[in-house]
Amino acid sequence: MSGQLAGKVALVAGATRGAGRGIAVELGAAGATVYVTGRSTRERRSEYDRPETIEDTADLVTAAGGRGVAVPVDHLVPDEVRALVERIDAEQGRLDVLVNDIWGGELLFDWNAPVWEHDLDKGLRLLRLAVDTHAITSHHALPLLLRRPGGLVVEMTDGTAEYNRDTYRNSFFYDLAKTAVLRMGFALGHELGPRGATAVTLTPGWMRSEIMLDHFGVTEETWRDALEREPHFGISETPRYVGRAVAALAADPDVARWNGQSLSSGGLAQVYGFTDLDGSRPDAWRYITEVQDAGKPADATGYR
């Protein structure tokens, strides 16, 4: 992918850590200028109170071969998003790729708590962070993206449309949030397609984010140690894998074939031929359906 996105400008909204960081770095590795946003900076942490910052992400983008630009933005504040887009317009005069990866809800949902037992304030906050932020960002950024034909919008979620349609996802609020984003990608496809742009929804598989590695008490180098505790973790992937999926989409001259669709990192790897950092091609959602949810013993053979 080196150099294939040279001259292109991307905005990864929600790029502090996890998928957002992986996507930003891979867009940079392909030569793009990448604006990375979030609420965690070197001067001020978000309520996650974690060490990752948008400045660190920008540095990783630049080190990968692109140009990273960190801009602190709370995507729930329309004026901040408007100012961000005005800055991109003033500095670049274009926007080729928009990745809506804002989330921030990891600390707000209770696993398997029914709606009447779930903390209402936390649930409503989760919906605002997961849904309102995407809508606000699209509202302000899409006029700039549509200025040139061929723009790409990627709505990041958890789970494919097929999987989430038939599967309860952890809690009422989490389920609603992730399904709403899937519908956003579908709706944007209808609105952008006739105007020369493409919108998709994309999910990683079981991702080895910074938070997930900490949860299991492992590092990227020792992640297989977690298999003793959770054998199905053997299907997991790095955040760079879904990053390579986005980079492949952004470089595809025929990307419009995917307009309005729900996609996965593992599914796109089979089409575009990219791999994860270890050279494997995890197909997590096929594994989750055929092995994990089917109650079979953990065995990723044939799935990565």
Side-chain angles (χ1 to χ4, degrees):
M1 292 298 299
S2 178
Q4 291 192 34
L5 298 180
K8 300 291 187 180
V9 178
L11 165 59
V12 182
T16 309
R17 59 184 66 83
R21 176 172 283 189
I23 292 166
V25 172
E26 287 298 331
L27 289 171
T33 294
V34 187
Y35 286 77
V36 299
T37 67
R39 294 174 296 146
S40 296
T41 70
R42 289 171 183 165
E43 287 72 37
R44 183 176 63 85
R45 294 191 181 194
S46 72
E47 63 266 29
Y48 271 23
D49 194 27
R50 290 190 54 86
E52 302 87 16
T53 70
I54 56 172
E55 293 93 342
D56 293 340
T57 300
D59 288 346
L60 289 170
V61 171
T62 302
R67 178 178 172 235
V69 184
V71 185
V73 176
D74 183 340
H75 286 265
L76 278 176
V77 182
D79 286 346
E80 291 190 22
V81 179
R82 182 186 300 109
L84 164 69
V85 175
E86 290 174 350
R87 174 175 171 178
I88 297 173
D89 189 9
E91 294 177 356
Q92 309 296 333
R94 63 188 295 164
L95 179 63
D96 302 286
V97 180
L98 167 63
V99 180
N100 271 326
D101 186 53
I102 313 112
W103 169 227
E106 294 290 351
L107 306 178
L108 297 174
F109 68 93
D110 295 327
W111 288 77
N112 299 315
V115 64
W116 59 91
E117 295 178 0
H118 198 289
D119 184 285
L120 183 59
D121 289 339
K122 287 184 178 180
L124 295 176
R125 170 73 172 170
L126 182 152
L127 291 178
R128 288 214 69 209
L129 287 168
V131 178
D132 291 14
T133 54
H134 290 226
I136 290 167
T137 304
S138 291
H139 174 82
H140 288 291
L142 290 184
L144 179 56
L145 182 134
L146 286 169
R147 192 177 297 171
R148 295 168 179 261
L152 171 67
V153 178
V154 181
E155 287 286 339
M156 295 298 299
T157 191
D158 175 24
T160 64
E162 180 181 17
Y163 186 83
N164 285 12
R165 182 189 64 227
D166 301 323
T167 308
Y168 168 68
R169 300 307 312 280
N170 307 332
S171 81
F172 172 91
F173 292 105
Y174 189 92
D175 191 300
L176 181 57
K178 298 308 180 181
T179 300
V181 175
L182 281 160
R183 195 66 185 183
M184 282 185 180
F186 173 79
L188 286 174
H190 279 267
E191 296 182 356
L192 295 181
R195 295 171 171 85
T198 298
V200 301
T201 308
L202 178 62
T203 179
W206 194 342
M207 191 174 59
R208 297 197 298 275
S209 65
E210 299 88 348
I211 291 175
M212 184 60 66
L213 292 172
D214 286 352
H215 171 73
F216 283 118
V218 295
T219 67
E220 179 55 35
E221 291 69 34
T222 65
W223 71 269
R224 290 186 178 277
D225 292 348
L227 270 60
E228 183 175 348
R229 175 179 170 186
E230 175 46 78
H232 290 300
F233 197 52
I235 195 59
S236 64
E237 63 198 52
T238 75
R240 298 280 290 276
Y241 192 50
V242 75
R244 291 177 175 181
V246 173
L249 289 169
D252 184 357
D254 191 28
V255 69
R257 61 182 156 151
W258 303 111
N259 189 45
Q261 295 188 41
S262 162
L263 308 171
S264 69
S265 52
L268 288 177
Q270 308 306 314
V271 175
Y272 288 111
F274 61 84
T275 67
D276 205 346
L277 297 180
D278 63 359
S280 68
R281 290 195 181 99
D283 193 354
W285 292 102
R286 187 167 65 89
Y287 175 90
I288 289 169
T289 300
E290 297 177 3
V291 179
Q292 179 176 301
D293 290 0
K296 297 179 180 179
D299 183 1
T301 303
Y303 293 93
R304 60 175 312 140

